């Protein structure tokens, strides 16, 4: 059950008509033209390969599948990947794909 601060932030984002990532601590995934993926709010990289990248999002894992991947930027909470993106998949900690 979320704490009172999280509930207030969620309600404020709804009232102010702001996206959830503006006030809540949720990851943002941006795919640009099928050739670049930017993950904000990432906790780190789990797996890096030519055809698959796995990113730790806290309670979820983000899988990016395709070809010719290259990680171009890694900061404390942001990861940039270039390559040919074929699939983006979320997997919860329990193993269920979203």
């Amino acid at each position: 059950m979320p704490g009172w601060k999280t509930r207030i932030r969620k309600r404020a984002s709804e009232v102010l008509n702001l996206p959830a990532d503006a006030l809540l601590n949720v990851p943002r995934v941006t795919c640009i033209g099928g050739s670049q993926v930017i993950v904000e709010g990432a906790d780190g990289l789990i797996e890096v390969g030519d055809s698959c990248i796995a990113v730790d999002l806290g309670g979820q894992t983000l899988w990016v599948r395709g070809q010719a991947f290259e990680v171009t930027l890694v900061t404390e909470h942001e990861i940039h990947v270039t390559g040919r993106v074929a699939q983006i998949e979320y997997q919860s900690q329990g193993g269920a794909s979203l």
Side-chain angles (χ1 to χ4, degrees), residues 38-53:
I38 300 170
V39 183
E40 299 171 77
D43 289 342
L45 287 165
I46 299 170
E47 180 179 325
V48 177
D50 187 55
S51 62
C52 183
I53 305 281

Side-chain angles (χ1 to χ4, degrees), residues 3 9 28 32 40 49 57 59 70 76-77 86:
R9 286 185 183 129
R28 174 186 280 212
I32 303 169
E40 299 171 77
L57 299 178
E70 182 179 328
E76 186 176 350
H77 295 289

Side-chain angles (χ1 to χ4, degrees), residues 2-22:
W4 65 272
K5 289 181 182 180
T6 302
R7 289 193 305 269
I8 289 173
R9 286 185 183 129
K10 183 176 182 182
R11 183 69 183 137
S13 97
E14 291 169 358
V15 169
L16 297 172
N17 200 25
L18 295 171
D21 63 327

Side-chain angles (χ1 to χ4, degrees), residues 16 19-20 28 31 35 40 42 57 71 76 78 80 82 84:
L16 297 172
R28 174 186 280 212
C31 184
S35 62
E40 299 171 77
L57 299 178
V71 177
E76 186 176 350
E78 190 168 331
H80 292 209
T82 60
R84 290 188 293 276

